[in-house]
Amino acid sequence: GAVVSQHPSWVICKSGTSVKIECRSLDFQATTMFWYRQFPKQSLMLMATSNEGSKATYEQGVEKDKFLINHASLTLSTLTVTSAHPEDSSFYICSAGTSGRSAYNEQFFGPGTRLTVL
Amino acid sequence: AQKITQTQPGMFVQEKEAVTLDCTYDTSDPSYGLFWYKQPSSGEMIFLIYQGSYDQQNATEGRYSLNFQKARKSANLVISASQLGDSAMYFCAMREGLGINEKLTFGTGTRLTIIP
């Protein structure tokens, strides 16, 4: 199957610092990558969609200046949480889409990154 | 209006029994796909089964089957012969459009607990 990795798997940081999360497609080129946020006991909420070489499209209510997304190559997208605060503590999951990999065009999900802001 | 509705926050099922997890959806797009994912406590999203809006037959993948009732806009997941390892959160999701660039909208999930 298609493998997507995320790094780090967990991070603890102080309030006010910035945190970068990487999402990599290991065995395929991802035309599109998606970033989700999941609060405890809640569903996945899409934050933004990014396409390689272009600006990310953010969902309504997501601050683009706070959650910086860079999709620099077909195998790497990064999410930077700038000036993180405790309310940003969450589980961040990326997914990647590619054509021709399966019959369903499903998204392949990374294992997630748990962010805790103190 | 919610695009994906899962009305069962939690379910308890005896091991080896079958279980049905409910999912209803709302869309005016004639081309859409419905997905079910399993999320164990570790957090990863595991793809289980897919149903396309134009598929004539209900999807099946091993012990998983999807009861697709298009007129009712429902896509219930059926797990046969449940196992202890099936205990997890289950999410129904919809993609409006069939392309890889289309986003997924998730339901609120159902926490399934299998009782030995």
Side-chain angles (χ1 to χ4, degrees), chain B residues 29-98:
Chain B
D29 194 327
S31 301
Y32 56 89
L34 297 158
F35 299 81
W36 275 93
Y37 286 90
K38 172 184 178 181
Q39 187 181 42
S41 56
S42 55
E44 78 261 36
M45 298 293 286
I46 302 169
F47 166 72
L48 296 178
I49 197 166
Y50 168 83
Q51 183 83 44
S53 59
Y54 298 113
D55 294 343
Q56 296 296 312
Q57 294 187 326
N58 287 344
T60 60
E61 291 283 351
R63 293 187 299 114
Y64 304 107
S65 60
L66 205 151
N67 184 359
F68 181 46
Q69 298 190 38
K70 196 170 181 177
R72 295 184 178 184
K73 292 189 175 179
S74 74
N76 299 338
L77 175 70
V78 180
I79 306 175
S80 63
S82 58
Q83 303 171 355
L84 296 178
D86 294 333
S87 294
M89 279 292 290
Y90 288 79
F91 291 99
C92 179
M94 178 173 64
R95 179 181 62 204
E96 293 175 287
L98 300 178

